[in-house]
Amino acid sequence: MSIERSTLAFITLVASLVGAWAAWTAAKGGHDPVTVGSVVYGVVAGGLAKLFGGGAMVTVVRSLLLLVGGVLGMVASLLLGRSAGIYLTPTTA
């Protein structure tokens, strides 16, 4: 059974937040944040996929691709903005 796009986006969001929290906690504890965050992300995404009735591995891979695509899209828009002379600068106002 396939998981809908909205459910996949929800799984990606939840798994990303939990993975980021686990990576931050691991870094504070002196452990490798990349490894811990990645493992927690995979476990949470796979668990939620099973909860929603989909295939765990397929959902984890699709979720990672969705996450990477979002990050690459943000980087591309920042680079295009920079080439057009648009810079993001903090203001005090």
Side-chain angles (χ1 to χ4, degrees):
M1 181 174 176
S2 182
I3 292 181
E4 295 180 12
R5 288 183 190 183
S6 60
T7 306
L8 180 63
F10 174 73
I11 289 171
T12 302
L13 176 68
V14 171
S16 297
L17 291 174
V18 174
W21 175 78
W24 179 71
T25 305
K28 283 181 56 177
H31 302 290
D32 183 23
V34 174
T35 303
V36 173
S38 300
V39 168
V40 169
Y41 177 90
V43 169
V44 169
L48 287 174
K50 283 301 199 185
L51 182 71
F52 287 110
M57 276 310 284
V58 173
T59 302
V60 169
V61 170
R62 287 179 62 201
S63 177
L64 282 173
L65 290 174
L66 181 65
L67 187 64
V68 168
V71 169
L72 289 178
M74 288 176 54
V75 169
S77 61
L78 288 173
L79 290 176
L80 287 172
R82 175 173 268 182
S83 68
I86 302 168
Y87 297 98
L88 298 177
T89 56
T91 61
T92 58

